[in-house]
Structure formats: structure tokens, C-alpha cells
Amino acid sequence: MGADRRCVPVPGPKRGTRGGPRRAVSRGAEALDARLPLGEAARAVVRKVFPDHWSFLLGELALYSFVVLLLTGTYLALFFDPSMSETPYRGSYEPLRGVLMSQAYLTTLEISFDVRGGLLIRQIHHWAALLFLAAIGAHLLRVFLTGAFRRPRELNWLVGVTLFVLALVEGFAGYSLPDDLLSGTGLRIAQGIMLSVPVVGTYLSLLVFGGEYPGDDIVPRLYPVHILLVPGLLLGLITVHLLLVFALKHTQWPGPGRTGRNVVGLPFYPQYVAKSGGLFLVVFGVLAALGALAQINPIWTYGPYRADVVSTGAQPDWYVGFLEGALRLMPGVETRLWGHTIMWNPLLTAVLLPGALFAALYAYPFFERWITAGAGERHLCDRPRDRPVRTALGAAALSCYAVLLLAGAQDVLAFVFDLPLPALTWVLRAGFFVVPAGVFWLTRRVCLALQSREVHLLTAGEASGMVRQRADGGFHPEHRALAPRERYAVLVRERPRPLVYEDAAGAGAGAGAGAGAGRLRTGVVRVRVAVSRWYYRDQVSYPYPASARERRKVADVTAGPDRREGPGQR
């Protein structure tokens, strides 16, 4: 029997069934794109290229820990009461039953012992706060050491430093909300710092605390600052930071095919989205594991805050530990002037020192540009060894912070290691001045030694592991030339030159200046040239051996784009 091969028409979709909604959605998307050019923006985002290097993930660590902070903080806000009205405790923690405490401390105990999952969420929130600040600090350090703050990214550097300042304020505000004995001690120190400000210190303290210390307003005032004001500012600045990253493109490490006019890496979608999403899951998993397994800030062991009690062995979180150490190292010195008492201990260590630190961070990109010849754009990362003074400054600052952090735990160190506290204090005071100077000198010498070794490798080659015996019985190691990829990585480096007097004088010249202004300008130019020569004097003394062709190629690779030529160069 033959099969029936008659053609039977297949009915198509009825009008208004399957094809209708699809066409409606398509027409709606086209109409929306005609009014809001979202399609072009989406295509630009999807095509965005991100360099594939682990050091660029530090900023994403900060971003994802901030997301965890928002999620866990929203959950905690459902149960926390910032009121300072006192109530006897009747909860699950027996050692504190019947103790009079504020609603802020009581509800924190209830979150820890009576709310399902409350202690886990609270500890995840605290660990995420520590990771957030650590990631921002590490990200800023990476940007500083690699020169990623240079033109055209000065504004993004300012945004990053401001994010770090706001994160410090946010961490201290959240640390102070539970109204336990440890956080109350921190608020007492903060009030002493406010009082040390000349003339306006008393008024500042009365304004913040709502009257005489301790008052009943500080925790209710810190609460909206912690959950609304500062998070809103952080969210806005993070958005600005990401928009600037997209607009200005990423810096990248030198390598084959990478120049100051392109970016080599992974496209945003789908590769980078998958990689970044995996990092978020890892961050969330690690923070959840820490919250479940590693206890942090057990406020029930401290008890509620009382103004006449100070906890022993009190240690703040690491990000304000340097302030604690500075306060402990500074001698108690006072000066009486015009009817006012200046308390140098809190004023110098907790007001002027942090102010000078962050002022230096804000000003550094403009300072380096001021002492560097040439003001073009820079899109390739510097190796820290190629900027000995900058790297040494960063290392010295970290060593100074480490000394102050140790000083913040001097009482614990003296107790654990059975050391005399006065002697330990004097050792740390000397270390505050000696250690950063020694670290600066050592780091600079290490950077120069690494440069000298690279010069040797370029001229003599690297050891092959083979030893040749001469006819007279002597032995000498064999060397082979560097591989092209390794030679490229060593040679592709910018060699900044210090300013000369003519360039600096020409840049600062102005018409119509008087004799006094001319002398002042001449003095500024001389200072600028002297600082530039000190900053780059070791850099220019190492001419890397390279052919003229290689030098031309290096100059072409490291040159940044001329932005006046339009976006095609980017």
C-alpha cells in the first residue's frame, strides 16, 4: 500500500493569538526606544570591555559587600528601635534579666536571641561592613600604586576618597547604635574629640548630643544618618563612580596588543557578567560563613552603656584603630591662650592628623601632575617598581598606620606579652617616626634594585640553569636572552622626566605681574623644579637598553589618545 502523500495546509496562528502579543511588544519597544534611546545605551554597555586581571576585582568586592550591607541592614531595621527610653530586660539572655537598659540595647539583644536568624544576619552585616571598608582601602591603594588616578581620572579618584570617608562615618555610626558599653565608650571618645576643637568645640558637642553628655538624642540621631543619609550618599557616589568608569574606560596593565588607545579584556556580556556574578555569590557565601562561624561584637558580654563605667581592653574596629592608637601615644599637653584651653592630644591626633591625611589623598593627583613634565592622558598602569618614590610613600603610610594600630592595642599587648606599659608606649612613639622613614628608604631601594635587575636581564639575559666548564677548569653559568613577551613587559614602561626650569617657568608665566609677584612666581617655580627632580631623580638614571625601533614602539604604545579627535580613538 502506498502512503497518502496529499498536501494538507497547516493552519497558521490566528490574528491576535501568538503573533499579536509578540508584535505588540516589539512595537512598544520600538516606540520606547524612539523616545528614550535605551537600545543604543544597552548595546554600548553590552559591548563594554573589562580588563581581565585580579587586581581590578577589588572594587567589585567593595560593591558586592555594599549590596550585602543593604540587604542585611534592611532586615535589621525591621526590628531595631533607636529609642533611649529605659526598660528592664525580660528577654532570653538570663545574665541581663532585670537590668535597666535603653530600647536600642534591648532590641539589639532581641535581634540576637529572639528574632529568627537575627544573630546570623547581624553578624553578616558586621563582617560585610569590615569587608566593605577593607575593599575600598585596598582598591584605593591599587589605584594609587599603579597611577590610575592620573588624567583623565582625577575626578574618579576624588569620588573614591569621598566614598572611603563616608564609609568610615557609616561604620562608626552603625558601631554606635547598639548603645552597649563598648560603643558608648567610643561615643565618649568622640565627644572628647569634639570638645578639643578650639572655640566651637562645646557648641559642637551640645549640637550633636542634644545637650550635656550623654544625653538622649545621639542614638536616635545616628539612626537616620546610618540607614538613610550616608547610604543614600554612598549609593549616589557609587553610581557616579561606575558611570565614570564606563565613560573613561578602564586602565590596563601593559602587554602585547595593549596600548594607551584601546582596552583588551572580556566583554561585559556574557563573559564578564558571569564572572562578576560568580564573585558576588562567593562574597555572599564567605560572609554568610563568617556570620555563622566567627563571632563578632558580642554586645551581651559588654552590658548596657553607663557613663560612669569604661570597659577594659576596649578595641574599636580596625578602620578607626589608628585614631585610638594616636590618642594613646600623644602625651597629655594643654595650652592656655586668650581664655581658652587647647587640648593637643585629641586635637592634634584625632582632628588635625586625619584632616591632613585626607587632604593629602585629595590633593595627590594634582600634586603629581604639578611636578611631572607632560600633561597628557594615561591609560596604562604603572608597575610600582617604576615609581620608586610614589611606592615608597604608600608603603611608609601603611607602616605608619600599622604602628598606630598596634598602639591602639598597647594595653592588650602589654598584658599578653607581660611588657611594661610605659616602655611599650615609648617604643611605639619612637616607631611612629622611625618606622615610616625606614620603610620609605627600604621600599625605594627595593624598587631601584628591581629596576637594576631588569637592566641586567636585558643586557646579559637570564640564567639558563646550565653551567659551562672552561678549558682552564673554571665554571661559569650560561645565560639566554629574554623571551620576546618578557622583554616586551619590561620595556613597555613610561619613563617620566623631571621638570626643567624653562618648562616650569613657561607654564607659570603670567602677563602684567609686578616685581613682588614675579619674585614669588620665581620662587614657586624653583620649588616645583626641585621637588620634581627629587621625585624623579632615580627614575632617569636607569636607561633601559633598547634599540631605536623598540623605543619608538614603546613611545607609541604608552602614548594616550588625543580626546579632541573624538570617540573613535577610544
Side-chain angles (χ1 to χ4, degrees):
M1 288 179 61
D4 189 358
R5 298 181 179 271
R6 289 177 299 176
C7 295
V8 179
V10 179
K14 296 181 179 180
R15 186 179 301 274
T17 58
R18 289 181 296 178
R22 186 178 302 172
R23 287 195 296 270
V25 171
S26 178
R27 287 196 299 268
E30 291 175 357
L32 181 62
D33 186 59
R35 291 159 177 81
L36 295 174
L38 299 178
E40 184 63 29
R43 284 190 291 270
V45 170
V46 169
R47 293 196 302 264
K48 187 69 177 179
V49 175
F50 290 83
D52 186 20
H53 193 270
W54 67 266
S55 64
F56 297 103
L57 299 179
L58 294 173
E60 295 188 33
L61 284 177
L63 174 63
Y64 294 143
S65 57
F66 180 70
V67 173
V68 175
L69 281 172
L70 292 180
L71 295 175
T72 54
T74 302
Y75 182 81
L76 295 175
L78 300 176
F79 306 99
F80 181 74
D81 181 7
S83 173
M84 296 297 288
S85 60
E86 294 186 330
T87 308
Y89 179 67
R90 306 297 183 192
S92 303
Y93 189 65
E94 292 187 2
L96 290 178
R97 283 185 181 174
V99 176
L100 201 63
M101 60 184 63
S102 66
Q103 281 292 316
Y105 186 68
L106 188 146
T107 52
T108 306
L109 288 177
E110 289 180 346
I111 290 173
S112 302
F113 294 109
D114 301 318
V115 175
R116 187 179 297 274
L119 181 59
L120 174 64
I121 299 299
R122 186 174 150 265
Q123 295 199 147
I124 292 176
H125 189 74
H126 202 124
W127 281 113
L130 298 182
L131 178 61
F132 180 54
L133 280 153
I136 292 179
H139 182 59
L140 282 174
L141 185 63
R142 196 277 301 175
V143 172
F144 177 81
L145 294 179
T146 61
F149 54 81
R150 296 173 297 176
R151 183 184 177 189
R153 297 175 180 84
E154 300 95 338
L155 178 59
N156 223 4
W157 170 263
L158 300 182
V159 171
V161 175
T162 306
L163 281 171
F164 190 54
V165 174
L166 290 175
L168 291 174
V169 174
E170 178 76 346
F172 180 77
Y175 181 81
S176 304
L177 287 181
D179 194 37
D180 60 288
L181 186 58
L182 188 60
S183 64
T185 303
L187 283 174
R188 181 59 166 169
I189 296 174
Q191 192 248 359
I193 295 172
M194 296 176 194
L195 291 175
S196 70
V197 179
V199 182
V200 299
T202 304
Y203 304 102
L204 183 61
S205 174
L206 292 174
L207 176 64
V208 172
F209 286 88
E212 293 293 336
Y213 181 86
D216 294 329
D217 296 336
I218 182 63
V219 172
R221 289 178 177 181
L222 283 177
Y223 186 62
V225 170
H226 180 69
I227 69 170
L228 290 176
L229 179 60
V230 179
L233 293 175
L234 286 172
L235 190 60
L237 286 177
I238 288 174
T239 303
V240 172
H241 181 74
L242 294 177
L243 290 176
L244 287 175
V245 169
F246 268 81
L248 300 175
K249 78 176 183 175
H250 269 281
T251 56
Q252 60 184 346
W253 292 99
R258 302 171 184 173
T259 70
R261 297 174 297 279
N262 67 2
V263 178
V264 178
L266 301 176
F268 179 74
Y269 182 84
Q271 287 92 337
Y272 199 80
V273 169
K275 181 178 179 180
S276 186
L279 178 64
F280 170 71
L281 295 178
V282 170
V283 170
F284 191 87
V286 170
L287 290 175
L290 287 173
L293 302 175
Q295 186 183 77
I296 189 169
N297 197 24
I299 61 163
W300 52 88
T301 63
Y302 308 138
Y305 178 66
R306 287 176 49 186
D308 59 335
V309 177
V310 178
S311 57
T312 59
Q315 305 298 323
D317 284 335
W318 68 268
Y319 49 88
V320 290
F322 76 100
L323 287 179
E324 176 82 9
L327 289 169
R328 297 188 182 196
L329 292 186
M330 179 70 185
V333 180
E334 297 180 358
T335 302
R336 187 77 176 174
L337 291 175
W338 302 295
H340 296 279
T341 300
I342 300 178
M343 301 178 293
W344 291 108
N345 185 326
L347 178 62
L348 184 61
T349 58
V351 178
L352 300 181
L353 177 63
L357 170 65
F358 285 105
L361 289 177
Y362 278 114
Y364 186 84
F366 308 99
F367 163 75
E368 186 169 307
R369 182 177 176 183
W370 186 64
I371 64 171
T372 304
E377 295 184 7
R378 298 293 182 268
H379 296 282
L380 292 179
C381 293
D382 293 329
R383 295 184 307 168
R385 70 182 64 179
D386 294 333
R387 296 292 187 273
V389 175
R390 183 205 294 161
T391 305
L393 287 174
L398 286 179
S399 65
C400 182
Y401 167 81
V403 172
L404 293 179
L405 192 62
L406 289 175
Q410 61 172 356
D411 53 345
V412 177
L413 295 175
F415 176 77
V416 172
F417 296 102
D418 194 19
L419 299 173
L421 186 59
L424 180 60
T425 301
W426 277 105
V427 169
L428 291 171
R429 284 173 178 171
F432 176 76
F433 298 99
V434 174
V435 171
V439 169
F440 178 89
W441 177 85
L442 180 62
T443 304
R444 180 170 155 275
R445 297 307 304 174
V446 169
C447 291
L448 296 177
L450 291 174
Q451 291 186 26
S452 178
R453 179 179 179 274
E454 289 180 342
V455 173
H456 176 74
L457 289 176
L458 289 174
T459 54
E462 62 179 349
S464 63
M466 302 295 292
V467 178
R468 182 184 298 273
Q469 183 178 13
R470 296 193 298 266
D472 59 358
F475 295 89
H476 71 277
E478 288 188 348
H479 292 77
R480 61 168 177 262
L482 287 179
R485 188 181 186 89
E486 296 176 352
R487 184 177 178 86
Y488 183 91
V490 172
L491 285 178
V492 176
R493 53 189 292 273
E494 183 186 1
R495 298 179 60 232
R497 57 183 180 85
L499 290 171
V500 295
Y501 184 82
E502 291 76 12
D503 293 340
R519 286 193 297 269
L520 178 61
R521 186 178 67 247
T522 302
V524 171
V525 169
R526 292 185 183 276
V527 170
R528 183 182 177 188
V529 171
V531 174
S532 179
R533 287 177 178 174
W534 170 80
Y535 197 93
Y536 292 117
R537 63 180 179 181
D538 299 306
Q539 192 67 33
V540 296
S541 62
Y542 279 89
Y544 277 34
S547 63
R549 181 174 177 273
E550 287 177 328
R551 293 184 185 278
R552 287 194 299 269
K553 183 176 182 180
V554 168
D556 178 69
V557 167
T558 56
D562 186 354
R563 300 185 68 85
R564 292 174 299 179
E565 294 181 5
Q569 289 285 348
R570 299 171 53 201

